[in-house]
Amino acid sequence: MSVRTRVAALAALTATALTATALAVGAAATAQAGAAPGGTVQENAAANSASAQKKTAAPRFLAASELPPHPTGWTAGPVTDGFPEQLAYCLGEGVPAYDYRHRLFHTELDTSAVQVTVVTGSAAKGKALADRLNKEIRTCAARLERLYPEIEAEGRFFGTLPVEEGATVHGLHTETSYGATDVNLLSVGRDGRTVTVVGWGQMGDFGDAPLTAFKKTAKKAVTKLH
């Protein structure tokens, strides 16, 4: 059983005819004022609606085929509301309250993965959240050792990725007093106000981790959000 599992954890309005007429005239005047030169009110309304839909569209998630290759292949679960307990070993108590969504992935062996995304209220809040998650991951090894004396943990920073507002890649290796070892790779990426975290893990050490392939996955996770 991996450490990811061991250490784990949303008008009827009444009006006179005169008032209704006034509202209708006001709405028509507002629509005309917002129309772009050369365009009709209907065309501009359609364009504004399409733009709003794009901005509010739910972030897209990775597909199984976009994860680091595995001999048995990957199976993707459904997109589910909430923060995944599979990331609780590092982030469970360090994430602010947002409406998170996540997807789990698994293989026929001990390798598993998870992606979580969240749309914050602004780009500034997105940056603050990404910074907070990166800090929690950087301090994860020390916290694990402090909370679980039977575990020795080592964290590593594997750099940044040039994608949208950026992504960072981290690694974590744990070994228990009874000999079980696990290696995890984690990334934190941001596109505007949207933040995503990708986690990958299996039994083994840093030498068993597909770092190059995981960086491609981490970059894809950000470019695919919107």
Side-chain angles (χ1 to χ4, degrees):
M1 180 180 295
S2 71
V3 69
R4 301 180 302 280
T5 302
R6 289 193 301 269
V7 215
L10 185 84
L13 292 175
T14 58
T16 64
L18 181 59
T19 301
T21 301
L23 289 173
V25 171
T30 301
Q32 290 288 354
T40 66
V41 173
Q42 291 82 358
E43 288 172 345
N44 284 281
N48 291 337
S49 177
S51 177
Q53 289 178 3
K54 182 178 180 181
K55 291 180 180 179
T56 59
R60 293 181 297 161
F61 281 76
L62 290 166
S65 60
E66 295 166 328
L67 294 172
H70 190 276
T72 70
W74 289 93
T75 299
V79 175
T80 306
D81 291 338
F83 192 87
E85 65 178 14
Q86 285 76 8
L87 292 176
Y89 66 98
C90 265
L91 300 175
E93 297 181 1
V95 293
Y98 279 111
D99 292 329
Y100 298 93
R101 302 173 76 229
H102 69 274
R103 167 176 271 179
L104 303 180
F105 305 85
H106 70 270
T107 66
E108 294 180 11
L109 300 177
D110 190 54
T111 308
S112 61
V114 58
Q115 180 183 12
V116 59
T117 69
V118 58
V119 180
T120 66
S122 67
K125 290 183 177 180
K127 182 180 184 305
L129 176 58
D131 290 346
R132 171 72 176 272
L133 295 174
N134 276 306
K135 179 180 179 180
E136 293 293 327
I137 294 174
R138 286 196 305 269
T139 60
C140 181
R143 282 185 284 112
L144 286 178
E145 289 189 336
R146 184 175 67 252
L147 293 172
Y148 304 94
E150 74 279 11
I151 290 178
E152 292 186 2
E154 178 189 359
R156 294 184 183 180
F157 178 63
F158 291 118
T160 61
L161 302 175
V163 54
E164 298 300 341
E165 277 66 58
T168 55
V169 180
H170 309 261
L172 176 71
H173 175 252
T174 59
E175 183 174 358
T176 67
S177 58
Y178 48 89
T181 63
D182 292 277
V183 61
N184 293 266
L185 297 175
L186 301 109
S187 69
V188 180
R190 182 171 70 92
D191 182 357
R193 63 179 183 150
T194 304
V195 177
T196 187
V197 178
V198 180
W200 171 99
Q202 69 174 30
M203 295 177 63
D205 56 30
F206 284 120
D208 302 308
L211 181 57
T212 300
F214 181 79
K215 287 183 176 181
K216 293 180 179 179
T217 295
K219 190 173 184 178
K220 182 67 175 181
V222 178
T223 59
K224 193 174 182 179
L225 286 172
H226 297 292

